[in-house]
Amino acid sequence: MNLFDVYPINNITIDKALGSNVWDDQGNQYLDMYGGHAVISIGHTHPHYVKRLTEQLKKVGFYSNSVKIPIQQQLAEKLGKLSGKPDYQLFLVNSGAEANENALKLASFYNGKKKVIAFKNSFHGRTSLAVAVTDNPKIVAPVNQTDNVIFLPWEDETALEAAFKANEISSVIIEGIQGVGGIKVASASFLQKIRSLCDQYNAVFIADSVQCGYGRSGKFFSHDHAGVNADIYTMAKGMGNGFPIGGIIIAPHIKPAYGMLGTTFGGNHLACAAALAVLETMENENLIANAEKVGNYLISELKKFPQVTEVRGRGLMIGIELPESLNHVRKELLFKHKIFTGEAKPNVIRLLPSLALTMEHANEFLTAFSKELN
């Protein structure tokens, strides 16, 4: 049997990882400035993370949500404390797509409406509802197509107001910083407008924080920069530092009912141990402040390169837009300088490293980047 060939892959086999570095099976060391799509939040194989998972696995790795799982409540309490949302409710799943899927469904349960507002260049996942609100027709199968989704231009308040007036809106889903869309930062005024319209029309504000949340922007949720509270926040990627876990936190006015949502694997013992290890490490090592400090430094330095078209982002979620003539730079960074980065179309280098990235690692990247540009 062969693997289903859907990934364009680099001919590199990662054999070992530690902190912000990985090694291939030939012994070559790489700087990881991408974290496997923003997944590695506290650094590869962090000792506290390894210890937490190992200890949990020796006790119990899994049982279903038909029994009490105290570690879920421990995770909820720690997440409430660090996120500043202690009065919210937590529902645990396995991925970002699943988190967005449940958020959209829960919003519709709450207000009985069907229409959803999403935005141009959005990416929310590949399951049925999540891909329906993703602005990429190439990955939307015919069975996923629906008339219930309204795509609006990014940051267009007039179009937003008109859509609310003309439709029964169930929810608005928005990334605080678009990831796949090219590291586009939502302005405070736009997020505040969404909040006020959702309040006015009894719609649900869904803050997709799968990639831009969990401390990456220098605040726990990137939407926090706007000083607003969403009704539902969706999370995954950095939540488990590589262990599959996702979740939604839900404002207290949205009430649960038995059978409303469900999952087999969501919130299992091992996943919760991984997520707790991440939050404990973020707290103990002040990683959100580090993301802000190192990220601000990187953004400031990157803006000094005259060849760069634009630098966008917050904290350690950074997009470097380059002219077409420099579209080779990302590949050179990987194969010549042994530095992993990400991309967004048409020619944006995405930086999504561990929140524990050091200044030394930041300078290592800047030195290699400078050599390629010059």
Side-chain angles (χ1 to χ4, degrees):
M1 181 185 291
N2 292 320
L3 297 174
F4 197 51
D5 189 11
V6 292
Y7 300 118
I9 60 175
N10 296 302
N11 188 24
I12 298 169
T13 301
I14 300 301
D15 197 46
K16 187 177 73 169
L18 181 65
S20 290
N21 292 111
V22 298
W23 289 261
D24 67 19
D25 57 356
Q26 305 301 308
N28 296 305
Q29 179 176 321
Y30 297 77
L31 174 62
D32 187 5
M33 294 293 290
Y34 194 52
H37 306 302
V39 167
I40 301 301
S41 50
I42 61 171
H44 293 279
T45 59
H46 190 288
H48 179 62
Y49 176 82
V50 173
K51 182 172 182 283
R52 259 287 198 177
L53 275 169
T54 304
E55 288 177 350
Q56 184 61 52
L57 187 56
K58 288 177 180 176
K59 293 192 288 186
V60 55
F62 174 83
Y63 205 78
S64 76
N65 286 295
S66 61
V67 299
K68 279 186 173 181
I69 304 177
I71 196 171
Q72 291 183 348
Q73 185 59 43
Q74 294 168 31
L75 174 57
E77 289 170 5
K78 178 65 76 173
L79 180 56
K81 177 186 174 186
L82 263 66
S83 68
K85 310 280 190 291
D87 57 336
Y88 278 54
Q89 308 154 90
L90 173 64
F91 178 71
L92 291 164
V93 292
N94 309 283
S95 69
E98 195 180 341
N100 284 329
E101 193 89 7
N102 279 279
L104 291 160
K105 183 165 64 173
L106 183 59
S108 188
F109 275 137
Y110 168 72
N111 56 27
K113 302 175 187 177
K114 296 180 180 179
K115 297 288 186 180
V116 179
I117 292 174
F119 296 94
K120 295 293 184 182
N121 296 317
S122 61
F123 186 92
H124 298 291
R126 293 175 179 268
T127 54
S128 186
L129 268 174
V131 80
V133 293
T134 291
D135 185 29
N136 183 353
K138 291 181 180 177
I139 65 170
V140 181
V143 72
N144 302 130
Q145 293 170 355
T146 173
D147 294 331
N148 289 327
V149 179
I150 303 163
F151 285 103
L152 298 180
W154 185 249
E155 295 271 287
D156 189 332
E157 293 188 13
T158 302
L160 185 67
E161 289 179 344
F164 267 96
K165 288 177 181 176
N167 302 275
E168 287 283 307
I169 301 299
S170 172
S171 60
V172 179
I173 185 166
I174 184 168
E175 302 155 88
I177 305 172
Q178 287 189 334
V180 175
I183 314 297
K184 304 279 181 66
V185 181
S187 68
S189 62
F190 193 58
L191 294 175
Q192 289 161 6
K193 174 62 75 172
I194 291 171
R195 178 68 277 169
S196 66
L197 288 168
C198 284
D199 288 340
Q200 182 180 344
Y201 289 94
N202 190 32
V204 175
F205 183 165
I206 300 172
D208 182 338
S209 302
V210 170
Q211 187 172 130
C212 61
Y214 247 75
R216 181 158 294 282
S217 70
K219 290 187 179 292
F220 197 90
F221 296 116
S222 65
H223 302 74
D224 292 342
H225 289 279
V228 297
N229 284 317
D231 300 305
I232 303 175
Y233 295 83
T234 65
M235 306 163 290
K237 293 194 185 296
M239 191 174 183
N241 202 52
F243 197 100
I245 183 171
I248 58 176
I249 61 169
I250 305 146
H253 66 273
I254 300 175
K255 304 300 182 185
Y258 287 157
M260 177 185 278
L261 305 177
T263 170
T264 297
F265 297 107
N268 68 74
H269 298 74
L270 271 179
C272 289
L276 269 170
V278 167
L279 291 174
E280 289 160 354
T281 303
M282 285 173 63
E283 183 177 34
N284 294 338
E285 299 182 8
N286 296 313
L287 294 188
I288 297 178
N290 185 71
E292 182 178 35
K293 176 185 172 184
V294 180
N296 286 347
Y297 171 70
L298 272 168
I299 290 169
S300 173
E301 292 299 306
L302 287 165
K303 286 181 176 179
K304 294 176 182 177
F305 291 101
Q307 304 95 324
V308 172
T309 305
E310 188 178 11
V311 181
R312 298 186 291 269
R314 277 198 172 112
L316 288 174
M317 186 170 183
I318 301 169
I320 310 164
E321 186 168 331
L322 297 174
E324 182 66 27
S325 60
L326 293 174
N327 63 7
H328 63 279
V329 169
R330 181 172 171 266
K331 186 174 285 188
E332 297 297 332
L333 285 169
L334 178 57
F335 290 105
K336 188 192 295 186
H337 300 279
K338 301 290 189 288
I339 299 175
F340 278 99
T341 61
E343 68 175 341
K345 305 298 183 187
N347 199 30
V348 177
I349 293 176
R350 278 197 288 166
L351 304 182
L352 299 162
S354 157
L355 308 190
L357 190 80
T358 64
M359 284 291 190
E360 290 75 16
H361 286 134
N363 283 320
E364 181 183 342
F365 169 78
L366 289 167
T367 298
F369 186 69
S370 176
K371 285 179 180 176
E372 283 311 308
L373 291 196
N374 295 314

